[in-house]
């Protein structure tokens, strides 16, 4: 039994030895080996807990920053992290929002109904399509697309929009 325990070098084998031979000649050695396995298991559990804590903290920081760079940093540091799927989804949402904002800014820059209509076709559920005020007024994109005007539209920002200062 002792030779088997030494050959397998597993905690269970040494525990089996002690169970079969509670007063055996290798009692002290078997207990020492078991204690070593337990200490190793505890150290591994602490390391896993610390890794999870670091993962969670990095995820919290990435969420607080809420940028593609912060999410990329999280994914690079924790490629198999606990929050990997959430990070990928958040990154995709940020990229979609940025593309939406860029398309709307381009439509505003052009200021014609066709440009707004193109925006609406590309982003039918975009951030700038939804009603922007409690009074039920439609958003700038829908107003401009529905006008069908050829001359540049005079744009008034909807509540929450930033003024276009580049014009």
């Amino acid at each position: 039994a002792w030779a088997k325990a030494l050959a397998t070098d597993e905690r269970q084998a040494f525990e089996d030895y002690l169970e079969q031979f509670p007063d055996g000649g290798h009692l002290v050695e078997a207990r020492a080996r078991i204690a070593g396995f337990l200490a190793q298991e505890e150290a591994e559990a602490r390391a896993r807990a610390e890794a999870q804590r670091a993962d969670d903290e990095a995820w919290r920081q990435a969420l607080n920053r809420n940028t593609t760079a912060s999410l990329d940093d999280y994914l690079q540091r924790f490629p198999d992290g606990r929050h990997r799927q959430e990070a990928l989804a958040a990154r995709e949402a940020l990229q979609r929002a940025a593309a939406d904002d860029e398309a709307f800014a381009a439509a505003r820059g052009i200021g014609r109904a066709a440009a707004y209509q193109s925006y609406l076709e590309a982003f039918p559920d975009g951030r700038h399509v939804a009603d922007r005020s409690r009074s039920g007024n439609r958003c700038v994109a829908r107003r401009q697309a529905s006008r069908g005007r050829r001359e540049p539209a005079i744009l008034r920002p909807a509540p929450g929009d930033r003024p276009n200062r580049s014009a």
Side-chain angles (χ1 to χ4, degrees), residues 5 8-19 34 37:
T8 61
D9 197 31
E10 293 178 356
R11 185 177 96 183
Q12 187 61 50
F14 291 102
E15 289 173 346
D16 291 346
Y17 171 81
L18 287 178
E19 188 176 310
I34 291 169
F37 284 117

Side-chain angles (χ1 to χ4, degrees), residues 75-143:
L75 290 166
Q76 184 177 21
R77 290 175 53 204
F78 298 93
D80 298 318
R82 294 164 33 123
H83 306 282
R84 181 178 193 283
Q85 292 304 320
E86 294 167 273
L88 291 170
R91 186 177 188 283
E92 183 179 325
L94 284 174
Q95 288 175 328
R96 276 193 317 268
D100 182 328
D101 290 344
E102 288 173 18
F104 186 71
R108 283 186 110 168
I110 294 169
R112 297 191 183 272
Y116 288 104
Q117 187 60 42
S118 292
Y119 166 78
L120 289 172
E121 289 169 5
F123 296 92
D125 298 319
R127 294 164 26 132
H128 305 282
V129 173
D131 289 345
R132 300 295 246 160
S133 70
R134 295 176 193 258
S135 66
N137 291 335
R138 292 185 304 167
C139 76
V140 171
R142 285 206 175 149
R143 284 196 309 267

Side-chain angles (χ1 to χ4, degrees), residues 11 14 29-42:
R11 185 177 96 183
F14 291 102
E29 292 172 85
R31 286 184 179 159
R33 290 283 184 101
I34 291 169
F37 284 117
L38 291 174
Q40 181 179 355
E41 290 168 8
E42 289 173 9

